[in-house]
Amino acid sequence: MQIRDLPYPDPGVPDVRSGPRFLYWLGRNQLGGQLKSLSWGLLHQCGVAGLPLGVGLAVQAVVDRSGRSLALAAGLIALLGAAVALGDTMLHRTAVTNWITAAARVQQLLARKTAELGSALTRRVAAGEVVAVSTGDVEKIGWFVEALSRFAAAALTLVVVCVGLLVYQPALGVVVAIGVPVLALAVLPLLPKATRRADAQRELAGKATELASDTVAGLRVLRGIGGEDLFLGRYRDASQQVRRAAVRSARMWALISAVQVLLPGLLLITIVVYGAKLTLDGRVTVGELVTVYSAVTLLLYPLRHFEEIAMAYSFSRPSAQRAARVLSLERTAPAPGDEAPARTPALVPDEPPSGDLYDPATGLLAPAGLFTAVVCGDPDLAGRLAERLGGHATSDTAAPDTAAPDTATPDAATDADAPGGTPPSALLGGVALDDVALITARGAVLVQDKDPVLLSGTLAELLDVPASGHVSAADALDAAQCEDVLAALAQTSADRADDPMRTRITERGRSLSGGQRQRLALARSLVTDPEVLVLDEPTSAVDSHTEARVAAGVKRLRSGRTTVVFASSPLVLDQADQVVLVHEGEVAAAGTHRELLHTDPRYRAVVTRETAAEDAAKAAIPGAMEHGVREEIEESA
């Protein structure tokens, strides 16, 4: 894979059982690039290691006053110099290619996983961790993949040089063959402590990043309540903890570097002293001593790669572990004790299902083409149920698996049991959403959660989303009652205020009110015009008058299409063709808003916010009045 060929047509299915396994998987998938880098690295480093031989031959030729030997030595040095230049150039090129392609592969995997999980990603993984994985961790993982081939070339070069010195000059070669492995392995006892300190630093850095992200996201609110100084102090404390951890980590790596400077120096001193004695005894020539000394000096360069690979692995292992943890998340969580599914859900579209939307875990049935409202007393349960209807089931969404008999569909799956508490997938037209391609499930069912995100850009860019083409932006904005939103954007836009679609949304819409952001997000969902639209509290931040118009607009625009709205407002519920009450994780009642309001006290308690005492008092009033009238009639008789 070359840089010009990126992105990958398919980044593959990663091994996410652990960080080291993920790194091994990356290296195995770039075996061709690693072998190229290894070959050029061997040419480069063997060329560097061979230069002392040319220098030694030249020195000996001068001592022997041999012009022919000097010319041969010069030719050898020139040839080795060309090999060093070519090898270094191509090594850098192939190594950087390995780095970039490995990072690109990880980024594609993360992007695919983000698209697969959607908003559920940040509910399962902290936002700071997601930021750390997608930025710094990708770079560290690429660094290890890039350094691996250069380390392998350095290790092979050390073996070749030691063997060559043993053959060339056995007396000094033995000293080198014993000393070099000691130099290479001397830092191993220090690595565990250095790794622990580096891990502690990265953990604190991740927490500081998460704190900074949360602070920036809520900066407008913090300014409104005067809380900037409080959070600034918290971030200052967090950054100081990161600084202290970084200093402790740097001290350990400095000690490792010092060891790698001190021990080679001692080896050089030993070579000089011992070699000088052998030279005086006549057992070693001056040229041979110069050759061995120069070779040991240049061996310090490949030895540096041992320190680099140790640092690269130390930094990349926790990064790979975090990446593996994110990539191991699935649309449907596995049962406790079970392994995650080995394959990633397909991204190739297939025939989209259609029909009634049914949730076996609760018994909720949304008939095709109707406007169904769902009332839940627990807002968290409503959010999880909305996610499950979109094919984003998680283990914490477990609910009783007994479906209400009057809501079961004949073609629905009867086995609602989920091992380990994992709820079954929602069914669209009798087809489980987990069994269809991800892109098909997303196109068939669109879920808008209660806290939608608006990206910065123009209004036209916001509404430029994959859509059926049957709903125009103007119709969607009108149904979502966005007239005041357009006016607000026109007033705050510095340019092109004459065209509402070219007005800009800045800071993810934080200049707008909560209700205005909700309605813009609703308009974006309406433009998409999916087979099934699931809305979780789409009007919770708007006033009653606007809420009634929005509900009527959505019903009008979605006529003939399946719409499920989680709400508890009577203004929205009154527009629904069917209202379903979900109580304690299962469907408790179904009917129209007015029917349930008069027949079901649980529904009435959620919708009207009445307490049990108030409900009992109201129920007692007609009886008391009837008893009083009867007494009056008896007395008059």
Side-chain angles (χ1 to χ4, degrees):
M1 172 63 70
Q2 299 296 320
I3 296 177
R4 64 175 175 268
D5 299 324
L6 294 175
Y8 288 93
D10 180 10
V13 180
D15 187 344
V16 294
R17 288 176 289 178
S18 66
R21 287 178 181 272
F22 180 62
L23 291 175
Y24 172 74
W25 177 84
L26 278 177
R28 188 185 63 196
N29 278 270
Q30 294 189 269
L31 188 58
Q34 294 289 344
L35 292 177
K36 287 181 182 178
S37 185
L38 174 61
S39 301
W40 292 116
L42 282 174
L43 178 63
H44 167 62
Q45 298 198 29
C46 287
V48 172
L51 287 174
L53 178 61
V55 173
L57 292 175
V59 171
Q60 192 62 41
V62 172
V63 173
D64 297 339
R65 297 181 181 276
S66 173
R68 183 173 178 276
S69 297
L70 184 61
L72 290 175
L76 178 60
I77 292 175
L79 181 62
L80 292 172
V84 169
L86 177 62
D88 190 23
T89 301
M90 298 306 298
L91 171 62
H92 178 74
R93 180 168 183 165
T94 53
V96 171
T97 299
N98 288 338
W99 185 332
I100 294 176
T101 51
R105 187 187 296 273
V106 177
Q107 287 177 329
Q108 280 188 249
L109 291 171
L110 290 171
R112 186 174 69 182
K113 183 59 63 174
T114 302
E116 177 188 336
L117 296 178
S119 60
L121 176 63
T122 53
R123 294 191 181 98
R124 302 191 199 178
V125 182
E129 184 169 356
V130 176
V131 172
V133 170
S134 59
T135 54
D137 285 342
V138 168
E139 182 179 355
K140 293 181 178 67
I141 293 171
W143 176 29
F144 174 76
V145 173
E146 177 262 342
L148 189 60
S149 56
R150 290 192 286 111
F151 163 72
L156 290 175
T157 301
L158 288 176
V159 173
V160 170
V161 171
C162 290
V163 173
L165 289 178
L166 280 172
V167 174
Y168 177 73
Q169 178 45 252
L172 293 175
V174 172
V175 177
V176 176
I178 295 175
V180 168
V182 173
L183 298 182
L185 302 176
V187 298
L188 289 182
L190 302 176
L191 289 180
K193 190 172 184 179
T195 302
R196 288 194 297 271
R197 291 189 178 186
D199 291 347
Q201 175 198 347
R202 281 186 292 274
E203 182 179 357
L204 292 173
K207 292 180 179 178
T209 302
E210 182 177 357
L211 179 60
S213 301
D214 294 343
T215 302
V216 171
L219 189 59
R220 186 167 178 262
V221 176
L222 290 176
R223 286 175 176 171
I225 63 176
E228 309 102 305
D229 293 338
L230 175 62
F231 276 81
L232 179 61
R234 291 181 180 177
Y235 182 73
R236 185 181 290 111
D237 293 340
S239 63
Q240 288 301 312
Q241 291 178 7
V242 174
R243 180 189 63 80
R244 288 190 291 269
V247 170
R248 293 183 71 249
S249 178
R251 286 173 179 167
M252 184 54 63
W253 289 112
L255 177 60
I256 292 175
S257 298
V259 170
Q260 295 233 322
V261 172
L262 175 63
L263 295 183
L266 294 177
L267 179 61
L268 284 175
I269 294 174
T270 303
I271 292 293
V272 170
V273 173
Y274 183 56
K277 183 178 181 300
L278 294 178
T279 303
L280 292 175
D281 293 342
R283 296 169 57 187
V284 174
T285 65
V286 174
E288 290 174 340
L289 176 59
V290 171
T291 299
V292 175
Y293 175 81
S294 301
V296 174
T297 302
L298 293 178
L299 282 181
L300 300 182
Y301 173 66
L303 279 173
R304 282 290 179 182
H305 290 291
F306 282 77
E307 177 188 356
E308 182 190 17
I309 196 65
M311 293 183 63
Y313 181 73
S314 174
F315 280 88
S316 65
R317 183 183 56 79
S319 297
Q321 186 64 45
R322 279 196 293 264
R325 184 162 55 248
V326 173
L327 293 175
S328 65
L329 299 175
E330 296 292 336
R331 292 169 63 191
T332 303
D338 293 347
E339 292 186 359
R343 65 176 184 88
T344 300
L347 296 176
V348 180
D350 51 19
E351 189 66 25
S354 61
D356 297 343
L357 181 65
Y358 176 69
D359 176 41
T362 60
L364 173 62
L365 172 67
L370 296 185
F371 186 154
T372 301
V374 181
V375 176
C376 289
D378 183 0
D380 292 333
L381 173 62
R384 295 195 297 268
L385 178 55
E387 284 186 9
R388 191 161 65 248
L389 290 177
H392 305 290
T394 56
S395 58
D396 61 352
T397 61
D401 52 17
T402 304
D406 60 337
T407 59
T409 57
D411 57 348
T414 58
D415 184 12
D417 293 331
T422 302
S425 169
L427 301 150
L428 182 58
V431 178
L433 291 176
D434 283 345
D435 293 339
V436 300
L438 174 61
I439 191 171
T440 304
R442 287 288 172 83
V445 182
L446 173 64
V447 179
Q448 176 182 307
D449 61 23
K450 64 183 64 177
D451 297 312
V453 176
L454 303 180
L455 300 180
S456 301
T458 64
L459 183 57
E461 292 171 343
L462 176 70
L463 300 179
D464 184 15
V465 293
S468 66
H470 297 150
V471 177
S472 66
D475 291 339
L477 291 169
D478 179 64
Q481 303 299 311
C482 292
E483 295 85 356
D484 63 318
V485 184
L486 299 180
L489 290 174
Q491 291 177 357
T492 57
S493 181
D495 55 351
R496 296 177 179 175
D498 55 328
D499 186 357
M501 299 302 293
R502 296 187 178 183
T503 55
R504 297 197 65 81
I505 301 170
T506 59
E507 296 184 8
R508 295 189 176 185
R510 292 193 183 98
S511 60
L512 302 173
S513 67
Q516 290 173 329
R517 289 197 299 271
Q518 267 191 340
R519 282 176 283 157
L520 277 182
L522 176 60
R524 179 178 58 189
S525 299
L526 293 173
V527 165
T528 304
D529 189 36
E531 177 73 20
V532 179
L533 178 60
V534 180
L535 304 172
D536 187 6
E537 295 288 354
T539 58
S540 60
V542 301
D543 60 83
S544 300
H545 179 64
T546 305
E547 185 177 35
R549 291 189 297 159
V550 168
V554 170
K555 182 178 182 179
R556 180 182 68 254
L557 193 64
R558 294 284 301 172
S559 177
R561 309 285 271 173
T562 307
T563 307
V564 180
V565 179
F566 288 81
S568 58
S569 169
L571 297 173
V572 177
L573 301 174
D574 197 41
Q575 294 287 340
D577 300 313
Q578 170 188 262
V579 179
V580 178
L581 172 65
V582 176
H583 181 68
E584 295 183 352
E586 62 180 0
V587 171
T592 65
H593 167 61
R594 298 178 186 274
E595 290 173 353
L596 294 178
L597 199 62
H598 290 88
T599 61
D600 197 303
R602 294 170 298 183
Y603 178 83
R604 187 164 53 249
V606 175
V607 173
T608 64
R609 307 296 193 272
E610 287 183 354
T611 64
E614 291 173 342
D615 192 51
K618 284 188 176 182
I621 289 176
M625 293 180 63
E626 181 182 354
H627 180 70
V629 170
R630 186 167 57 250
E631 286 184 345
E632 290 180 1
I633 294 175
E634 290 175 352
E635 289 177 358
S636 61

